[in-house]
Structures are given as structure tokens and as C-alpha cells.
Amino acid sequence: MARVDPHSYTDDQHPQVTSLSWEARVDFASRTLHATVTLHLATAGSGPLDLDTRDLDVSSVVDAEGRAVPFVLHPEEPVLGARLSLELASPTPSVTIAYRTSADASALQWLDGAQTAGGTHPFLFSQCQAIHARSVLPLQDTPQRRITFRASLDVPAALRGLMAAAFVSRNVAGDRAVEQWAMPQPIAPYLFAFAVGELASVELGPRSRVWAEPSVVKSAAWEFEGVEAMIDAGEALFGPYAWDRFDVLVMPPSFPYGGMENPRLTFVTPTLLAGDRSQVRVIGHELAHAWTGNLVTNAHAEHFWLNEGWTRYAELRIVEALEGPDAAALSAAVCRIDLQETLERFVRGGHGELTRLRTHLDGVDPDEAFSTVPYDKGNLFLRTIEDEIGRPRFEAFARAYLDRFRFGAVTTDEFVAFTEASLPGVLARVDAAAWIDGEGLPGNAPSVHSSRLDAVVALGTALPPAEPAMSVMELNLWLDRVPRPQTAAWCAAVDARFGFSTSGNTELQASFLRIAIASGHDAALPAVEALLLRVGRMKFLVPLYGELLARPETRDLAKAIFAKAAPGYHPIARAVVRGRITAA
Ligand code: BES
Ligand code: ZN
């Protein structure tokens, strides 16, 4: 026997599950899914079959002939969850498992009406990356086992279900509606996704529409108007879009990420709705995953840089195509600064190993290891190769790579072997070993030049001029570069001028509040609390709690706010923030 992924019980000697039929009844009252799943095997199989689960209550397992299949649900392990071992007595093409999810399923957040924009209807959504699909259904939860699926969601008739899949039908019977979905393209299990709530949609273009709660769908349509142009830019770079549609679902504010690239239906945080289109590059990033991540997927979490490094590269290329080289250079410079900060933080915290591209995550929860390193060090590595061989050759290489591993999973070694075969000698010339397995940034990292960045940096603590007005990105950069602590008077003057502490742009608000906390500008603390109660996006939670925990004066406040806010966070965000509070 051999396990193929440090975060899965999937065994390469066991039968391979290639598609699922999933039927789930959504019960908001008990916060559970009552479900059955039929796992269809590549070829009729017998013998042991190990599956991943977490907090599932399994009631029965039968084979294709309806014969009971003996099973053992092993005790829960801290990172992996509980192994479900089936024993298939005689060759069978499929097994059907009846089970219930737990109210604490790590992928799922069940929201009361009060936690939504509309205020009345409940909402449910999933977030399966990195290893949470197993809390929704028993399966081989590794990107090395792609699946197609058919699904049926039984929801309250007042609500809509949505899946990252193709819509088939909706039938209303009494106060329930049953919706059918199908996913014809094979996906990695972490891309299994659905949401249930009061949802409306607006067309954005021939192959995309935006879904959101009715009260926000108009502003969402305005914010994301440029999506079709982005898809065109992606196709010009990487070839035809493989997933038919690119719809976007605006989540409730507790969504723990900026965006999640669920195929056909990207999930995004409502904090992108800044009213100024300043955050659309997150859409560009999730769109880019259609090629780099969803089509060619990291084999497991230790090769996460292959997903995110390539996607950051593609995101910046899309920005360049749509907004021009200046905007792309500024974005690249921002990424470079964020990366430097992250690298220093890891070194200070004694986690130099997390500054490698290829990580070692045996026994480590991928959510805990998450950082910008795979994104931005990964992108810089690819840029270094590009600089070495020139853009035209690099583009041809990227396309050949996507073509070679299309609908497949890749390890770092496979990437290296493919690159060596396509571009002999190049890896040695860029010192790829130092990039991949070395800590920090190699000396040959490309430098990033942005004259707009230079102008922002030159300001120092001087307030930006009123004319010409700076873009949101430049303002954000200025805030992130301001040395701290400042005086409380400085914070008050900045806030009086720009109104950051009450800004509708959560990025600007959070960047300002970080300075305010570090500077002892206590007048801003109510705004910090309000933000932490309203929003569950980890990009804001982690630094803001971090600043509060870093100062003895606000450490208790951090704990008090968390106690109040935690029930409103997604389980992933709750666990990550709790970890930071415990470590402080
Ligand atoms: N796939 C990630 C989000 C993710 C990563 C979820 C790891 C779970 C585990 C997504 O594509 C992403 O990177 N989102 C970023 C936005 C982006 C512009 C960098 C985010 O959420 O901030
Ligand atoms: Zn990403």
C-alpha cells in the first residue's frame, strides 16, 4: 500500500473513484446535510477502499447490487480527519454511502438570516480547499483523484441552491425545491462547491453572470462589468477557456477568502464591492486558475506553489493586458513588498522552512501553512525563467506545460522534469534548486521597478496630495509603507482627511486600522471591533488580530472581540484566528 498525498488516506493500490452521484437534503434547522453518495469506480473493484471523512456520521454502505459493505470508521486524526475503510467482498462498479454531516463540518458555514445582507433568509456555503471536502462527503480527497459528478440538492423552495457545476433542472414541490447539477469536466475534490441562499443574478456577458443577494447584485454587476474582457485576456495568454461558463457568486461577508476559484462559479468576498472597481484583480486571479490550478493542479499541498505561483504570474499578465505595464509594475511591486514582509515574519518566527517553494507538510494543516510565499516567490521564480529565455519562448513553454498536464495533477519534480526537457539547461542557469528547496529569496530574484511606487515611497509620512488624486492601490501602498508607530495625532489627521476608519473600501480601512492599533490611536478601536464583527475574510482578520495581540494594552481586547465575533466566522477562519490567539 502507498499513500499518494500527506493529507489524504487515498491509497494507490485501492480502486479509483472517478465520478460521484451526490444527493443532499439541506436542513437549516439542524445544520446538517442528509446525504447519500454513490462512488463510481474506474473499473469494477474489490478489496479495501480507504476514503477521507471528517465529522461524518455514516449509517450504511452498500455495493452496486445493494449488498452491505463492511466498513470501519476510524477515530478522527487532528489534521487528516477520520479514515473510512471499506471492504469490497466481490468486484463492484460502485458503492453507495448514506451519511449525515456534522453541524461543525469544517467546510460549511451555516448563517442565520441576520448574518446576510437581506437579513431574513438563512445561507449555507462550502469552502473545500485545502482539505475540507471530506467534511461534506466521503471521498478520495486528493487532487490526484479527479472526479466528475451529478448532484441533487434539496433546499427550501424560498431559496436557490447554486453549485460549481452546470445547472440541469429545478423542481418545486410544496415548500422544497430539488435542483439537479452536473459537472462534466473532471475536477480536483477541493473544487467541489455549493451555496444555498436568497440569490439573484445579472448577466455580465455571453458566458458569465454574477450572483448575489438581491440587495447587492446591482452593485456587484457594476463592479465586475469587465469580466468578459478578462476571459478574452486569459484565452489570449493560455488558450481556450475549458469550463464553458465563468459565473461569480458574491458571498456573505464571513467568506474567509478574497476569492475561491470554484470551476464555473468563482466565490468572492463582498469586500470586493468597493464601489470603485479597485479590487477586480481578484476576479482576474480566480479566472486565471481556470488554467493554472483547475486545469493543471498541484498534486498535493506541498506543491501549492504550482497552483498559486503560476496563477499570480497569470494574474499580473492579465492586469498588464487590461490596464497597461505601469499598473502591472505597481501590482508586482506591491506583491514584492508583501513577500518581503512575509519572509521576514517567517524568519523572525523560526519558520524559515515555510519560505521554500516546496514545503514539507506531513502532520501540518495546510491552512496553518498558508502564506503569500507560494504566490509571490512562485511568481518571481517563473519571472526569472521568463527573463532568462525571453517572453515569447516562455509563453510557448507555459502553453506546452498546460497542454501536457491538462486535467492532471503535477508535483514539483514533474514540473522540473518537464521544464528540463523543454528548456534544457535553463533550470541550472537560474539556480532552480535554490528557488525550490532553498529558504528566502535567491540573489537572482528579478528586481521590480515602478515609478508610481517610487512616488508613493517618496512621500514617507507626508500626506498624499489632493491633486492629482492617488488611485486606491497607491493609497493602500502608502498606508502599508508608513513606518509605525505614528503619533495618535498623525492618525487622527490622516483619518480626518481621508475617512479611512469608516471607508467603504475594506482594504484601505484595514490598512489604516493596522497603523492606528500599532500607534495607540485608541479612538479607532471601535472601528476595529466593528470590522472584525462584520467581516470574516482572513486577509483582514489575521493582521488586525495580530496587531491587537502584539500590544499588551490591546491583547485582552483581541480576546474579547474574538469571543463575540467567532460564532459569525467560517470554521476555517475561526480555527486560524484561535490558533493565533493561543500562540500569543
Ligand atoms: N485558491 C485561493 C484561496 C485558497 C487558498 C483557499 C488556499 C483555501 C486554501 C484563491 O485563488 C486565492 O488565492 N485567493 C486570494 C486572492 C488573490 C488575488 C491572491 C485571496 O483569497 O485573497
Ligand atoms: Zn489563487
Side-chain angles (χ1 to χ4, degrees):
M1 77 143 228
R3 281 187 25 210
V4 297
D5 177 333
H7 298 112
S8 172
Y9 286 110
T10 302
D11 190 312
D12 62 3
Q13 302 300 302
H14 294 183
Q16 188 169 340
V17 177
T18 52
S19 74
L20 331 162
S21 309
W22 186 61
E23 289 182 17
R25 190 165 64 78
V26 177
D27 182 10
F28 279 100
S30 65
R31 299 193 157 190
T32 49
L33 302 175
H34 299 257
T36 63
V37 66
T38 299
L39 309 176
H40 305 278
L41 307 178
T43 53
S46 58
L49 173 58
D50 284 351
L51 302 171
D52 296 298
T53 76
R54 183 184 289 133
D55 296 329
L56 297 183
D57 183 357
V58 175
S59 52
S60 72
V61 184
V62 297
D63 69 9
E65 280 76 46
R67 291 174 299 212
V69 171
F71 66 89
V72 179
L73 187 57
H74 297 268
E76 294 277 336
E77 299 292 329
V79 175
L80 278 158
R83 175 156 62 115
L84 175 62
S85 299
L86 313 184
E87 192 60 42
L88 309 175
S90 49
T92 182
S94 66
V95 288
T96 298
I97 302 170
Y99 68 97
R100 261 184 322 161
T101 58
S102 153
D104 303 315
S106 63
L108 301 180
Q109 187 174 14
W110 300 82
L111 299 170
D112 294 335
Q115 294 167 280
T116 65
T120 44
H121 292 287
F123 200 103
L124 164 67
F125 69 89
S126 66
Q127 166 58 44
C128 288
Q129 197 181 14
I131 53 168
H132 302 282
R134 64 195 63 178
S135 74
V136 176
L137 69 174
L139 79 175
Q140 295 177 316
D141 194 4
T142 169
Q144 288 160 79
R145 290 286 182 271
R146 281 181 182 260
I147 42 165
T148 57
F149 64 84
R150 294 189 66 82
S152 141
L153 269 182
D154 177 337
V155 303
L159 305 182
R160 280 225 48 145
L162 284 181
M163 288 197 79
F167 175 72
V168 177
S169 64
R170 173 178 161 105
N171 289 302
V172 178
D175 62 353
R176 303 291 296 185
V178 175
E179 303 186 346
Q180 308 282 344
W181 298 84
M183 188 69 198
Q185 291 98 341
I187 61 159
Y190 72 82
L191 295 170
F192 189 84
F194 63 96
V196 181
E198 188 193 8
L199 292 162
S201 72
V202 170
E203 299 293 320
L204 297 174
R207 45 190 165 171
S208 61
R209 68 172 65 93
V210 62
W211 288 92
E213 288 193 69
S215 65
V216 291
V217 74
K218 275 223 173 65
S219 58
W222 182 85
E223 204 88 28
F224 303 146
E225 194 188 57
V227 153
E228 187 64 24
M230 282 187 166
I231 305 176
D232 291 343
E235 290 192 313
L237 267 174
F238 291 136
Y241 181 74
W243 306 89
D244 306 325
R245 293 197 57 89
F246 181 75
D247 294 335
V248 176
L249 170 60
V250 180
M251 307 299 285
S254 63
F255 187 60
Y257 291 98
M260 178 63 214
E261 65 272 25
N262 299 314
R264 289 172 185 256
L265 185 65
T266 278
F267 288 13
V268 296
T269 166
T271 63
L272 301 193
L273 308 180
D276 53 19
R277 294 189 180 147
S278 62
Q279 309 302 319
V280 291
R281 73 197 45 211
V282 175
I283 303 277
H285 177 97
E286 306 316 333
L287 168 67
H289 273 303
W291 291 269
T292 53
N294 297 3
L295 203 52
V296 176
T297 308
N298 56 207
H300 56 74
E302 294 179 351
H303 310 288
F304 186 53
W305 78 273
L306 287 170
N307 270 22
E308 298 297 347
W310 270 109
T311 300
R312 179 73 90 200
Y313 173 84
E315 169 197 338
L316 292 171
R317 291 295 308 271
I318 291 174
V319 170
E320 185 177 324
L322 297 177
E323 299 173 37
D326 262 19
L330 182 61
S331 289
V334 172
C335 292
R336 185 72 179 73
I337 292 169
D338 289 351
L339 176 61
Q340 198 60 41
E341 248 186 56
T342 306
L343 294 173
E344 284 164 15
R345 186 166 44 79
F346 276 145
V347 170
R348 269 201 314 273
H351 282 294
E353 80 282 358
L354 291 178
T355 67
R356 300 173 187 188
L357 284 183
R358 173 168 33 203
T359 49
H360 300 283
L361 299 179
D362 232 332
V364 179
D365 183 340
D367 292 340
E368 295 291 335
F370 180 84
S371 82
T372 60
V373 169
Y375 292 73
D376 292 311
K377 186 177 174 183
N379 167 53
L380 288 177
F381 175 40
L382 296 171
R383 287 265 170 173
T384 307
I385 298 175
E386 178 180 295
D387 289 351
E388 179 67 26
I389 62 176
R391 186 164 270 189
R393 277 183 78 198
F394 187 80
E395 286 181 352
F397 162 71
R399 283 199 183 221
Y401 166 74
L402 293 173
D403 210 41
R404 163 66 184 83
F405 294 106
R406 199 178 155 80
F407 291 109
V410 215
T411 62
T412 302
D413 281 344
E414 286 168 312
F415 168 82
V416 165
F418 179 81
T419 308
E420 186 54 31
S422 319
L423 306 166
V426 168
L427 289 173
R429 291 212 296 281
V430 301
D431 198 5
W435 280 94
I436 291 170
D437 293 312
E439 298 188 358
L441 262 192
N444 66 343
S447 53
V448 179
H449 293 293
S450 160
S451 47
R452 286 165 68 184
L453 170 68
D454 295 343
V456 171
V457 171
L459 282 173
T461 58
L463 269 55
E467 287 294 332
M470 276 188 171
S471 68
V472 170
M473 184 154 222
E474 287 161 306
L475 273 178
N476 220 141
L477 191 53
W478 173 70
L479 286 171
D480 289 342
R481 297 275 304 181
V482 163
R484 50 214 70 187
Q486 290 295 320
T487 61
W490 184 93
C491 295
V494 168
D495 206 20
R497 162 86 184 281
F498 293 100
F500 288 137
S501 68
T502 53
S503 173
N505 187 313
T506 316
E507 297 275 349
L508 291 174
Q509 191 186 21
S511 289
F512 172 75
L513 292 174
R514 284 185 68 173
I515 306 174
I517 299 167
S519 307
H521 177 48
D522 292 348
L525 292 177
V528 174
E529 173 161 359
L531 196 164
L532 293 173
L533 283 166
R534 180 172 57 85
V535 175
R537 181 178 174 189
M538 288 191 282
K539 180 180 181 184
F540 304 130
L541 302 189
V542 169
L544 285 172
Y545 279 107
E547 300 284 0
L548 291 173
L549 291 166
R551 289 184 74 236
E553 298 89 329
T554 46
R555 200 162 293 157
D556 287 341
L557 180 65
K559 292 176 187 165
I561 295 176
F562 181 65
K564 237 194 281 182
Y569 294 158
H570 185 281
I572 296 173
R574 203 183 302 145
V576 165
V577 177
R578 184 179 293 123
R580 303 299 160 106
I581 288 183
T582 321

